Amino acid sequence: MPTIAQLAALEILDSRGRPTVQATCMLAGGAAATASVPSGASTGAAEALELRDGDHTRYGGLGCRRAVAHINHDLNNALAGRAFATQGELDAAMVALDGTPNKARLGANAILAVSLAFARATAAGRGVPLYQHFADLLGVPLATLPRPTINLFSGGKHAGGQIPIQDVLVVPAAARTMDEALATTYACFQAAAQLTARKYSMRVLTADEGGLAPPFANAQAMLDDAVTAIREAGFVPGREVALAIDVASSHFYQDGRYHLDGRSLDSRGMIDTILDWLDRYPIVSVEDGLAEDDWAHWPELAAAIGGRALVLGDDLLCTNPARIRRARAMGAATALLLKVNQIGTLSEAAEAYRLARAAGWRVTISARSGETEDNWLADLAVGWAGDQIKVGSITQSERLAKYNRLLAIEAETSLPLVRSEKRERKGRSNAIKPLWSLL
Ligand code: PGA
Ligand code: ZN
């Protein structure tokens, strides 16, 4: 049974240069590991609390010294010397020590850093790769690698608000390996970069998650350009490469209306706009098509588009078991965007995952816009058999750390990319299946 010998923490900087938390967990017996937590910008209102110092003379108030001190003192004092048979026991102990509903006292950033460092140290102690340890935590066998969904264009809070839609992502739908998926995406990204230079006379400047962010006239222009880039890269849009979008509509929803491209839409108007996009573009996944507060209309959205694309909840669900139960009961979504730091412990994220699977939903394992060079997310996406992984663009080392880890896991395990395995078994490996069947 792993016994914590010592916990220690450090304030480090994330990909936006903002402070975040790194924890080290040393176990009795010598195994030790370090893990770092990411941070969002387009955050859901129901997320667990990321504790910031609030001292405006330092990092604009974003310092994490208090969260770090909570690991070095409160958590270390309470947990060092104690044995934890399972990840769940440790996480429950930290939730109890915190004592608030949203981890506001110790900070979800402090608690998650310890949760992850303990998992990694325990995996090291067992002598198994982290992805295997994550699979064992859930009690699922290793089966597939997740299909990457990769940012081509960025808007919303990640790109200075120049266009409301936050992400247009490419889905290398016909790729049969991770290696092929990344090579396909690279070709699309390069074509998009050339298009951006040609059409907008812009150098390749990228947003928080590495997506290109030219001044699109409107959402439709953003989607048109994505389809053009796929075609110019030599792929058939909708057959070989599809699109996913993160509408992140909570951020342009005010007083019950969606303020999009100079129009003010009610919920039905927003649903009709998404339906129009589905008619025109090869979109297979729609994240946060409606706002996190617009619960009443999500079932209508799911009924309208659910047969054609994933109805993916990010801000709506916040990886929060209670919100997932509510969405499931209402028929409000068909897929969970899983971000571990929205809830703050691995065990609670695992509960969110189980609930989503029990509802028959797809699961996309997601990074945040503020990331670190840590690559645990790739192991999590493989261990928990995510259908998709969403890490951002195929640029910037904090994103590539995850893609490179996926390549290493692929080389080590020879696991098939999700769904390609079924096609192989049916002897149709050369046939390109209709898009929707891949998700
Ligand atoms: P965030 O954005 O990490 O800034 O919350 C990611 C997303 O909305 O999917
Ligand atoms: Zn989102």
Side-chain angles (χ1 to χ4, degrees), residues 123-402:
R126 294 176 61 208
V128 300
L130 187 56
Y131 56 83
Q132 179 68 60
H133 184 65
F134 282 141
D136 296 343
L137 283 185
L138 267 191
V140 296
L142 290 173
T144 50
L145 301 174
R147 189 168 295 275
T149 62
I150 301 180
N151 283 47
L152 201 58
F153 294 133
S154 297
K157 290 205 159 186
H158 298 162
Q162 43 89 359
I163 187 109
I165 294 186
Q166 187 173 289
D167 307 312
V168 174
L169 309 105
V170 288
V171 186
R176 291 165 52 215
T177 62
M178 188 60 66
D179 169 66
E180 198 183 325
L182 294 179
T184 300
T185 304
Y186 175 84
C188 296
F189 189 86
Q190 293 309 315
Q194 283 169 19
L195 182 149
T196 300
R198 189 175 74 231
K199 187 166 168 185
Y200 299 96
S201 305
M202 254 187 86
R203 289 175 50 213
V204 181
L205 302 173
T206 58
D208 285 0
E209 296 185 343
L212 298 158
F216 301 106
N218 50 40
Q220 204 169 303
M222 193 181 194
L223 291 162
D224 277 330
D225 286 349
V227 171
T228 304
I230 293 169
R231 203 170 278 127
E232 289 182 353
F235 299 104
V236 182
R239 284 179 66 80
E240 292 164 306
V241 180
L243 294 177
I245 54 174
D246 182 0
V247 186
S249 62
S250 305
H251 303 294
F252 55 87
Y253 180 69
Q254 252 182 352
D255 304 324
R257 298 193 75 85
Y258 294 87
H259 301 276
L260 179 71
D261 292 339
R263 290 179 299 162
S264 166
L265 303 167
D266 62 9
S267 304
R268 185 65 232 181
M270 190 64 217
I271 293 170
D272 287 340
T273 301
I274 294 170
L275 276 171
D276 182 51
W277 293 338
L278 292 182
D279 286 341
R280 289 165 189 261
Y281 306 103
I283 296 169
V284 293
S285 174
V286 178
E287 180 180 336
D288 285 344
L290 293 179
E292 62 195 348
D293 297 331
D294 195 9
W295 274 97
H297 294 97
W298 272 81
E300 200 178 329
L301 172 73
I305 72 166
R308 302 173 64 181
L310 296 183
V311 185
L312 181 58
D314 172 15
D315 292 352
L316 178 81
L317 302 172
C318 279
T319 317
N320 182 314
R323 292 175 78 89
I324 294 167
R325 278 195 196 93
R326 182 178 174 194
R328 183 185 170 180
M330 291 172 71
T334 66
L336 167 70
L337 192 87
L338 187 143
K339 291 168 166 169
V340 183
N341 79 328
Q342 284 181 324
I343 188 72
T345 63
L346 270 172
S347 308
E348 289 161 288
E351 189 191 344
Y353 176 95
R354 284 194 196 96
L355 284 169
R357 288 298 192 208
W361 292 1
R362 303 288 184 198
V363 177
T364 297
I365 310 279
S366 176
R368 301 304 305 249
S369 51
E371 270 293 336
T372 73
E373 63 275 28
D374 199 335
N375 59 14
W376 56 264
L377 190 86
D379 289 77
L380 190 80
V382 175
W384 287 11
D387 296 289
Q388 286 88 36
I389 182 167
K390 183 185 177 205
V391 172
S393 187
I394 187 160
T395 58
Q396 306 181 179
S397 293
E398 80 281 4
R399 317 279 148 199
L400 298 168
K402 282 72 165 174

